[in-house]
Amino acid sequence: MIKFKVFSNAHKEEQWLNKMLQNGWQLKSVNAFNVYSFEKTSNKEQILRLDCQSFASEQKFQQYKALYEEFGWVHLGGSRLSTLQYWLNSNSIDDLLFSDQFSEKHYLHRLRKIYGVYACFSLFITFCLFQNSAHFLTIKDAYYTPGLWDKNGFDFLGAFLFETPLAITRFGSPWLMLIFGLVSINMYFKYKREIDKSV
């Protein structure tokens, strides 16, 4: 089974994947476009955990994987360049990927940092896009074809249908970036509060 799902919260993604596991669907792989591949399983005692890591080299990444694999964890997804790593343990009794409070706190710090970068990047892009703000106020202004609204019949219909995908992209992209930036800011402060509670 293949599913596409977008998450703004790593904890909610982890909960969803474990719910799928309890329903008999084990994560097989996940790619950078949030396409999840599942396979049927009868073992509902397994547990899935997410980790947020970055690696300076492939060697560091392989050392990281080897460390957790020694303790029975199976690496299902994530690469040296990706934000999240996906781990499966067949023994739900030993279900903690982080051995102590310091490791958990460090994990939250990494998530906060990632969402901080997302927020800065998306808000910067939004600011740049809104410099030419005319076509972001009404979608009609996002159509650039000269004389489009003066055309009639099939001439109008053809030109309208041709440019509509471009107009929607022009109109919608900065708003989507703005929403993504605001969600990232919210997640940044959410993880900050969790870090403060753990002190």
Side-chain angles (χ1 to χ4, degrees), residues 10-11 20 32 34 46 57 59 66 82-83 93 100 112-113 140 142 146-147 151 156 160:
H11 285 155
M20 292 291 293
N34 292 92
Q46 302 177 101
S57 66
Q59 181 182 7
S82 63
T83 302
I93 297 175
D100 52 38
R112 186 189 67 169
K113 181 180 178 181
K140 185 176 180 179
K151 295 179 183 292
F156 169 77
F160 178 78

Side-chain angles (χ1 to χ4, degrees), residues 14-126:
E14 184 179 278
Q15 291 170 4
W16 176 71
L17 290 170
N18 279 302
K19 184 178 180 181
M20 292 291 293
L21 196 54
Q22 289 303 306
N23 291 334
W25 292 100
Q26 175 190 312
L27 180 68
K28 184 178 180 181
S29 63
V30 56
N31 64 25
F33 301 101
N34 292 92
V35 177
Y36 300 83
S37 177
F38 294 90
E39 60 184 1
K40 199 71 176 171
T41 181
S42 58
N43 183 1
K44 298 183 181 180
E45 299 299 318
Q46 302 177 101
I47 194 78
L48 194 143
R49 293 288 182 242
L50 269 61
D51 190 18
C52 179
Q53 293 280 356
S54 58
F55 304 94
S57 66
E58 181 65 24
Q59 181 182 7
K60 293 288 185 182
F61 177 56
Q62 295 302 326
Q63 290 174 349
Y64 160 80
K65 287 173 57 179
L67 175 65
Y68 284 106
E69 287 168 352
E70 285 182 10
F71 291 94
W73 291 90
V74 178
H75 190 254
L76 298 179
S79 66
R80 182 174 76 86
L81 301 177
S82 63
T83 302
L84 294 175
Q85 307 297 327
Y86 298 76
W87 291 97
L88 181 74
N89 196 324
S90 59
N91 182 5
S92 61
I93 297 175
D94 184 21
D95 66 348
L96 296 178
L97 191 61
F98 310 105
S99 59
D100 52 38
Q101 186 178 9
F102 175 79
S103 298
E104 174 71 16
K105 186 176 179 180
H106 192 50
Y107 169 63
L108 294 174
H109 271 293
R110 292 194 297 270
L111 284 173
R112 186 189 67 169
K113 181 180 178 181
I114 288 296
Y115 281 108
V117 171
Y118 286 168
C120 292
F121 173 76
S122 57
L123 292 178
F124 173 74
I125 295 298
T126 302

Side-chain angles (χ1 to χ4, degrees), residues 112 184-194 196:
R112 186 189 67 169
S184 297
I185 290 174
N186 178 62
M187 294 308 303
Y188 174 87
F189 285 105
K190 177 183 182 296
Y191 287 120
K192 185 178 186 299
R193 288 192 296 270
E194 291 190 28
D196 293 339

Side-chain angles (χ1 to χ4, degrees), residues 142-146 148 158-170:
Y143 287 83
Y144 284 177
T145 301
L148 173 64
F160 178 78
L161 293 177
F162 175 79
E163 191 167 355
T164 291
L166 299 174
I168 291 174
T169 301
R170 294 187 194 109

Side-chain angles (χ1 to χ4, degrees), residues 130-175:
F130 270 108
Q131 293 300 301
N132 183 14
S133 60
H135 58 261
F136 303 134
L137 301 179
T138 63
I139 193 168
K140 185 176 180 179
D141 292 329
Y143 287 83
Y144 284 177
T145 301
L148 173 64
W149 307 109
D150 297 325
K151 295 179 183 292
N152 295 300
F154 285 106
D155 286 340
F156 169 77
L157 184 62
F160 178 78
L161 293 177
F162 175 79
E163 191 167 355
T164 291
L166 299 174
I168 291 174
T169 301
R170 294 187 194 109
F171 179 79
S173 56
W175 295 109

